[in-house]
Each structure stands twice: as C-alpha cells, then as structure tokens.
Amino acid sequence: GMLLAMSSERERVEAFWNATHTGPAPDHGNYLAHPLVAAYTSIRATGVIVGQLEVAIAELRDRCPNGARILSPGCGAAHKELALARALPDRHFVAVDIAESALAAGRNAAAQLGLTNIEFAVADFNQLELERESFDAIIGLGAFHHIENFEGFWAQCRRALRKGGVILAQEYVGPNRLQWTDAQIEHGDRVLRDLVPACHKVAHDRVHRVALEHIIAVDPSEAVRSSEMLPTLQAAGFAIAALVSGGGALLQPVLIDQIHTYDPRNWQHNLVLAKLFAEEDRLMREGVLQDDFVMFRTEPV
C-alpha cells in the first residue's frame, strides 16, 4: 500500500509539473520548478505544501457553481486549463490565445482526454471583446503579466463578469521586463557573495538586470507591465478580497539560470536554499523587498 501511495504521489507531482511548466527541459530560468523552492512558495502563500493548480481548483470549486463559465486568456497550449477541466467536469472553460497553433494542440489534447467542458478560441488579450455578463470567473495562471493593455483588459473583465463573478490569478507582479530594483541587486549580490558557494554560481556571481534586447527577442510580451497589474486592477474599480505572498524578489534574481545546480537530494544544497528562504523572508518582513509573485482574488462584482 505504501509503495502504491508513493507511486501515486510521484505521478501526481510529475503530472503537476508537466501541467504547470511548459518550457523546454531543463528550464534553468524557471527557479520555481525546484521542488524545495515550490514548497517554500506554497508554504509562504498557503501555510501548507500544495500545488498551485490545486489551489486554483479549490478556489474555483468554492467560487463557481456547477455550470459556471470560466475564461482563461493567454492559455497557450492550455496545459493548465486542461487540468482544471479534468478536475472540474461540471464547469465549462473557455481558453483563448492569439496563437492558433497552440490552440490546435490544446484541442487535440482535449479530444484525446475526452474532455467536452473546454472550448478554444483565438483572441488577443490586449484587444478582447467579451460578451456582457458571460463568465462567472476569469483566471490568470501566469498569463496576465504578458498583458500590455491592462486598462482595456480590466474593462472587458468588468463587462464580462456576471453578478458574483471574480478574477482569480497566480501571477508575476515584479519589476517590468525583469529589471530588478536597486534593493534586489544590492541584497542579491550580498547573498551570492556570503551565502552561495561557487558551485551554484555557474551563470552569474552578481545580479544583473536582464538585457532588454534579449528579453524582447525571446518574448516581446514578457513582463511588459507586470508591476502595474495590481494598481491598474484597482484603478479599474476592482477590490482585492485576498492577496497572498509568493515571494521571489530575492530568490529569482539569485537563482535564475542556475537553479539546476541545486540537487534536491543533496542536503548541503538544500541548506543553501533554506538560508536564502530565511533571508528573503526577513527582507520582506522588514519591508526592504516586496513580492514578485502573488496569488489574488477580487471581491465578487
């Protein structure tokens, strides 16, 4: 029984990461993919170790009645949306993206899984035109930080949400274009010097702002106005009912492109990560750093 449980848990974890991390493997830039970092982020946000998609599923189950319609803009190939549709068969999901090729992959996957409660449509979230009172929830699972026209987007969300409807998101809200703040650079440099052994500094031993030409070449929409997400949401008339911390302001610039040097089975490596977790938490409690990642939910409209 224990072996079966362990196998089931391993498969669940593998399925979770396959569903929530779509970049090429190994994705050295995705520091959140490390299991100990994921655990720290989850504990920071919820107090327990739970997958981000599981949090989204629980929120949608609580907030959206059976038959509810849920919109996910910027879905890509819809790995996360497919997982939500499987977990919540009595809710209907609408996944939209500007790339027809990505949507085609999502449609094929849905057909293979036998899912009939998800549909796919081409749409640009910077130029959305949504039917009035057509959705019970609008979700952002790492897509909102690619939006440039927040003002138009939030206006369409307000138009499309039914009475009692909510926006749910798990998002990067840190500096635009990953242009780290002076405080992030100062304290990132310090911990890289004082806490991180040389074997973990294969990409950088100082914190550098990502070159704009590089980030735009890789993805022109990456974090284009990420730091303005919450202020523009509130300016659009939405009240934030819940906002939970995901941290990351120290960890991401320190660990980006070199997280792969930390072997989860090596407890000396894990000790270094634990020291970084404690230092990030201290700096955030003292107000020196703010969240780069958050989960939030608006009040019902």
Side-chain angles (χ1 to χ4, degrees), residues 56-300:
I57 289 166
E59 284 285 334
L60 290 172
R61 185 177 285 120
D62 288 345
R63 309 289 165 189
C64 299
N66 288 351
R69 297 183 80 239
I70 300 161
L71 174 68
S72 181
C75 66
H79 298 288
K80 300 173 186 178
E81 291 76 8
L82 290 167
L84 296 180
R86 292 185 73 179
L88 299 167
D90 295 321
R91 282 77 169 176
H92 186 82
F93 293 84
V94 179
V96 304
D97 198 87
I98 197 171
E100 174 57 44
S101 58
L103 294 173
R107 288 191 192 97
N108 290 336
Q112 292 174 7
L113 293 168
L115 295 175
T116 59
N117 64 326
I118 184 168
E119 63 180 278
F120 301 84
V122 175
D124 179 354
F125 49 33
N126 285 306
Q127 301 178 34
L128 275 183
E129 294 183 8
L130 300 175
E131 183 180 346
R132 187 177 298 277
E133 297 181 357
S134 53
F135 292 101
D136 298 280
I138 298 172
I139 56 175
L141 302 175
F144 284 0
H145 72 273
H146 291 274
I147 296 170
E148 184 169 6
N149 180 19
F150 275 130
E151 293 77 8
F153 178 77
W154 299 134
Q156 285 296 310
C157 289
R158 177 165 289 283
R159 170 186 173 85
L161 284 171
R162 295 168 176 160
K163 184 177 181 180
V166 296
I167 298 173
L168 299 170
Q170 301 169 345
E171 289 290 342
Y172 170 78
V173 296
N176 297 354
R177 302 292 197 190
L178 309 186
Q179 299 302 292
W180 316 120
T181 65
D182 290 345
Q184 284 177 289
I185 292 174
E186 175 188 348
H187 292 283
D189 285 352
R190 176 176 56 81
V191 300
L192 280 166
R193 181 188 68 240
D194 297 344
L195 299 181
V196 178
C199 63
H200 299 301
K201 294 185 280 194
V202 297
H204 58 271
D205 59 7
R206 302 283 300 272
V207 170
H208 302 283
R209 296 181 175 100
V210 180
L212 285 175
E213 59 271 20
H214 172 74
I215 200 167
I216 292 171
V218 171
D219 184 347
S221 70
E222 179 63 45
V224 57
R225 291 179 66 193
S226 49
S227 67
E228 300 167 70
M229 186 185 306
L230 295 176
T232 57
L233 176 71
Q234 293 172 299
F238 287 98
I240 298 175
L243 179 70
V244 294
S245 169
L250 182 70
L251 297 178
Q252 186 168 27
V254 168
L255 297 175
I256 193 169
D257 295 326
Q258 43 200 26
I259 186 61
H260 60 292
T261 66
Y262 293 84
D263 180 354
R265 295 182 177 88
N266 185 317
W267 289 98
Q268 291 304 311
H269 295 184
N270 290 341
L271 180 59
V272 176
L273 289 175
K275 291 178 180 178
L276 293 176
F277 299 160
E279 188 63 8
E280 176 175 277
D281 182 69
R282 181 185 71 82
L283 291 168
M284 293 191 67
R285 282 187 286 106
E286 293 177 1
V288 177
L289 299 178
Q290 290 75 44
D291 283 299
D292 271 10
F293 292 89
V294 297
M295 299 182 188
F296 66 86
R297 169 174 49 83
T298 61
E299 290 183 356

